[in-house]
Amino acid sequence: MIVTRFAPSPTGLLHLGHAYAAITAHESGDDFLLRIEDIDKGRSRDAFILAIFYDLKWLGLSWDEPTMRQSTRMGAYAEALVNLKARGLVYPCFCTRADIAAEIARAGEAQHFDALGPSGPGPDGPLYPGTCRACSRDEGLSRMAAGESYALRLDVARAAALVGPLTFTERGLLHAVDPLRFGDIVIARKDMPTSYHLAVVVDDAHQQVSLVTRGEDLLAATHIQRLLQALLKLPELIYAHHPLVLDENGKKFSKRDGAVSLESLREAGATPADIRARIGL
Ligand code: GLU
């Protein structure tokens, strides 16, 4: 049985890109789940969760109840973190964005290459240059005791060495995992005790998702998520990333750019069939 999911963050109204992702996931599985990814408490709104339910029902989709909300799953993420910490795979990082930018500039001038390679652009922006990885345990503890805020990062090189070479299956093709391409990712943010990658991996396993369909902008994230699955001994999933729906200017729809929402299309008279036609489904 194929279990798929649609996992929106309730930080805005759904747009045509979300409709494409949700319908694709719904049509690809025998069982379809909705998961509300609301770990970012500062940006998530209950009103957007209700709007997600309304839009998906309007599109004719149904999902297994109850709907999981990631904000209720902090205990499970904490357990996964304890596991990684106990194996020495995690270190505290006190750097601010400005510290990271300054370190990257300095490293560039000195032609200094971190063990992970040049701190060039990764899929999520510049790679973390590894500054705090070199901190001693005592220094870390004393900065924590002094009340400095910190994130937790995964020591990716060490983690990758521990699990050995990995692959993932994308649309029937085997891809070699390149875990270093993101650098030492944050697995618990300064303002929340988890991160997107950790929460997704823990929840996909908990919900017994077997096929992940999502936009191809998240294909790169699969490399790090596969590494986390292996570290946490979670089942391997299969993946099918789909092209993004583009607007008339060839740009991807984004909540930030105020993309036309399903709600406003509906209010302007569009039917669910019109939405499907506009996104080629
Ligand atoms: N919550 C993520 C988003 O809204 C999607 C996560 C995923 O599909 O893995 O972009």
Side-chain angles (χ1 to χ4, degrees):
M1 191 176 71
I2 298 175
V3 182
T4 57
R5 61 14 174 227
F6 174 55
S9 306
T11 55
L13 292 170
L14 300 187
H15 51 62
L16 289 171
H18 294 111
Y20 188 95
I23 294 170
T24 302
H26 192 258
E27 289 179 355
S28 306
D30 305 304
D31 234 345
F32 168 70
L33 305 172
L34 171 65
R35 182 169 71 228
I36 301 294
E37 301 214 321
D38 58 347
I39 51 173
D40 191 339
K41 292 210 181 82
R43 294 173 59 225
S44 299
R45 300 278 176 272
D46 283 350
F48 290 134
I49 299 179
L50 295 176
I52 289 168
F53 293 163
Y54 192 91
D55 285 344
L56 296 182
K57 286 190 179 145
W58 177 69
L59 287 172
L61 308 188
S62 56
W63 57 92
D64 288 2
E65 301 278 4
T67 305
M68 181 193 279
R69 286 180 64 160
Q70 287 192 322
S71 56
T72 65
R73 300 264 306 144
M74 293 299 166
Y77 311 142
E79 217 173 279
L81 261 180
V82 166
N83 174 328
L84 298 173
K85 273 188 199 164
R87 287 187 283 159
L89 297 173
V90 168
Y91 62 89
C93 172
F94 301 89
C95 296
T96 60
R97 275 177 205 274
D99 293 335
I100 295 172
E103 177 62 24
I104 288 172
R106 223 179 0 253
E109 276 162 30
Q111 289 293 302
H112 162 80
F113 282 57
D114 181 71
L116 290 171
S119 299
D124 271 349
L127 289 190
Y128 179 62
T131 322
C132 286
R133 187 171 354 106
C135 276
S136 68
R137 197 180 142 76
D138 285 354
E139 182 184 346
L141 288 174
S142 73
R143 290 177 77 171
M144 283 181 204
E148 266 192 71
S149 60
Y150 59 95
L152 293 174
R153 288 186 183 270
L154 185 68
D155 185 334
V156 171
R158 183 181 286 207
L162 192 71
V163 294
L166 296 169
T167 55
F168 66 89
T169 305
E170 160 71 12
R171 293 183 178 274
L173 292 177
L174 217 52
H175 290 244
V177 169
D178 173 12
L180 302 187
R181 64 192 291 176
F182 273 90
D184 284 356
I185 52 143
V186 168
I187 52 168
R189 283 172 36 170
K190 284 182 178 173
D191 56 348
M192 70 175 81
T194 186
S195 70
Y196 158 65
H197 294 298
L198 185 68
V200 161
V201 159
V202 168
D203 286 342
D204 280 338
H206 177 74
Q207 294 189 288
Q208 298 181 317
V209 170
S210 56
L211 169 65
V212 172
T213 64
R214 58 185 178 189
E216 64 191 10
D217 52 339
L218 287 171
L219 178 59
T222 309
H223 291 263
I224 202 73
Q225 292 176 11
R226 179 74 196 97
L227 174 66
L228 285 171
Q229 283 158 4
L231 287 170
L232 296 168
K233 300 198 167 38
L234 301 174
E236 190 177 344
L237 312 176
I238 55 171
Y239 295 86
H241 290 83
H242 54 73
L244 298 176
V245 181
L246 302 178
D247 67 14
E248 52 279 4
N249 304 315
K251 274 186 61 201
K252 78 171 195 178
F253 283 96
S254 151
K255 287 175 198 160
R256 250 165 304 191
D257 301 337
V260 188
S261 64
L262 296 179
E263 183 181 280
S264 57
L265 292 167
R266 181 167 59 240
E267 281 166 5
T271 64
D274 295 333
I275 302 292
R276 282 177 187 257
R278 266 196 70 175
I279 54 184
L281 287 173

